[in-house]
Amino acid sequence: MVGIALASGLSLMALIYTLGHVSGAHFNPVVTIAFAAARKLPLMQVPIYVLPQFLGSTLSSLTLRVLFNHQGDILPMLTQYKSPVTDFETIFWEFIMTLILMFVICGAATDDRATKEVAGVAIGVTLLFEVLIAGPITGASMNPARSLGPAIVSGVYKNQWVFVIAPILGAMTATGIYSLLRQTEQNTKI
């Protein structure tokens, strides 16, 4: 799990610094959806971001399937949870983890008062710790594209709805909470 957490967090950090200035570092559909819901991104741009996010996940899953074809299956790439973990527990974990991740994104990357130079580190380290903590429980998706890409390639869709609904709700909640905090902060400066 440590290797998976390091690979996830450090890869995201590198991508943020590499492509953040190009795309705003939208690698996760829930980030895009939450920003659109908060009117920080035009609604018309959502498909322009979300379609490539899902396409990238699916193509990377296909690539891994080709590279590791000798292993017979790609089921280890799937985001799944097993008994005794319930749907409700997974929804709660994915909601909370995505809320925390999105809250960090709002504070570190989108707030004008933030030190943007360290946003990639803050976001990558947050993902790293969340994968360490919740990875053994839920697979620590926080990203519908990350879950659905391998599901499409493997043909296994069990419980995928959880990895779509919970992260969207968590990200939108975080964006709403941060917007309230941002307004409160701006009001106290007047």
Side-chain angles (χ1 to χ4, degrees):
M1 192 51 61
V2 173
I4 294 168
L6 284 168
S8 299
L10 295 177
S11 295
L12 179 59
M13 187 185 314
L15 285 169
I16 289 168
Y17 288 117
T18 304
L19 297 171
H21 61 282
V22 175
S23 70
H26 284 247
F27 304 113
N28 185 336
V30 301
V31 173
T32 303
I33 292 166
F35 281 149
R39 296 186 178 139
K40 305 279 185 208
L41 179 74
L43 195 56
M44 296 297 290
Q45 290 184 5
V46 171
I48 296 168
Y49 283 90
V50 171
L51 184 61
Q53 292 162 349
F54 280 103
L55 188 61
S57 175
T58 304
L59 289 175
S60 66
S61 298
L62 280 169
T63 301
L64 289 172
R65 184 176 197 160
V66 169
L67 291 174
F68 294 105
N69 66 354
H70 63 280
Q71 292 184 1
D73 68 52
I74 62 164
L75 294 180
M77 289 187 338
L78 288 171
T79 309
Q80 291 290 316
Y81 53 96
K82 297 176 183 139
S83 186
V85 179
T86 66
D87 290 347
F88 178 77
E89 290 170 325
T90 304
I91 290 167
F92 185 75
W93 273 100
E94 289 290 323
F95 174 87
I96 293 296
M97 288 185 306
T98 309
L99 185 144
I100 292 167
L101 180 63
M102 189 68 195
F103 196 80
V104 171
I105 291 168
C106 288
T110 69
D111 196 320
D112 297 334
R113 301 164 295 173
T115 306
K116 304 269 196 296
E117 292 80 20
V118 295
V121 173
I123 296 164
V125 168
T126 299
L127 181 66
L128 188 153
F129 281 119
E130 289 184 329
V131 171
L132 279 175
I133 293 166
I137 301 165
T138 70
S141 174
M142 299 165 275
N143 183 334
R146 182 264 171 266
S147 293
L148 288 176
I152 290 167
V153 171
S154 69
V156 177
Y157 298 97
K158 182 182 177 194
N159 301 324
Q160 288 302 307
W161 67 273
V162 169
F163 300 108
V164 173
I165 301 299
I168 289 172
L169 295 175
M172 291 177 72
T173 302
T175 305
I177 292 169
Y178 200 86
S179 293
L180 290 174
L181 292 174
R182 186 179 287 173
Q183 289 174 359
T184 302
E185 183 68 28
Q186 288 172 347
N187 290 341
T188 58
K189 287 186 174 182
I190 296 177

